[in-house]
Amino acid sequence: MVDSTGTVHYDKLTKWYYRVYDRWESEVEASFTYPQHNLTPWFFFSGITVNPVGRLTVGASYVFFLGLYHPEGEKRYLTSHGIGGSLGYRLFQANHDRYLFKKDFVVELRVRYAHSLGGRCDLEYNLYDAGLLFYNKRHKRIPYFTIGYRNVDSRTDGIRNLNALYLSITLR
């Protein structure tokens, strides 16, 4: 900020940065589950998250689904596009260096809902996730890891619902 005398006050700029800009983050995530009902699903998410207050995070994302479908020896790929939203809460954040946890190590519980957009999609679905994210808040270049439970409610004829544990890798 610059006052009337032309002096730049960097402390006000950094306070603004940490109060507003540092709360927004972009994410790219690849999520994997094991094959089920002749389908091997992969979900890819790209979106933004915001930290509005304290430990709470809210996000919105674009979802791309890619799955290898192989009923009775036939192999083909299914694709679809969707949108989703997430809500997270930081369960644990280490503030000091400890033997087991380094400073700023975070464990976050995140729930997510996603919905296919229709049109020319091979799989119409409602996706429900609940997972634990493990990451270091200070180092944004290090990948985040998530392990959780996923329910894919398929609305496409011939493809059954999926219930599986999933593992995902996220870059911010």
Side-chain angles (χ1 to χ4, degrees), residues 84-119:
S86 65
L87 185 64
Y89 183 78
R90 282 192 215 120
L91 299 173
F92 173 77
Q93 181 170 347
N95 294 327
H96 304 288
D97 284 333
R98 301 280 186 206
Y99 179 73
L100 187 57
F101 301 109
K102 288 294 190 182
K103 187 174 183 179
D104 293 330
F105 175 78
V106 176
V107 177
E108 180 178 325
L109 173 66
R110 186 176 290 181
V111 292
R112 176 179 10 218
Y113 170 77
H115 178 73
S116 61
L117 290 175

Side-chain angles (χ1 to χ4, degrees), residues 35-84:
Q36 229 182 47
H37 310 301
N38 299 322
L39 179 66
T40 305
W42 299 300
F43 284 92
F44 301 95
F45 300 89
S46 174
I48 59 169
T49 59
V50 64
N51 181 5
V53 291
R55 296 174 172 245
L56 183 69
T57 59
V58 178
S61 60
Y62 164 77
V63 183
F64 178 72
F65 167 78
L66 176 64
L68 174 62
Y69 187 56
H70 43 87
E72 293 102 29
E74 175 190 0
K75 290 187 178 182
R76 61 186 169 121
Y77 285 98
L78 305 175
T79 61
S80 66
H81 305 276
I83 56 173

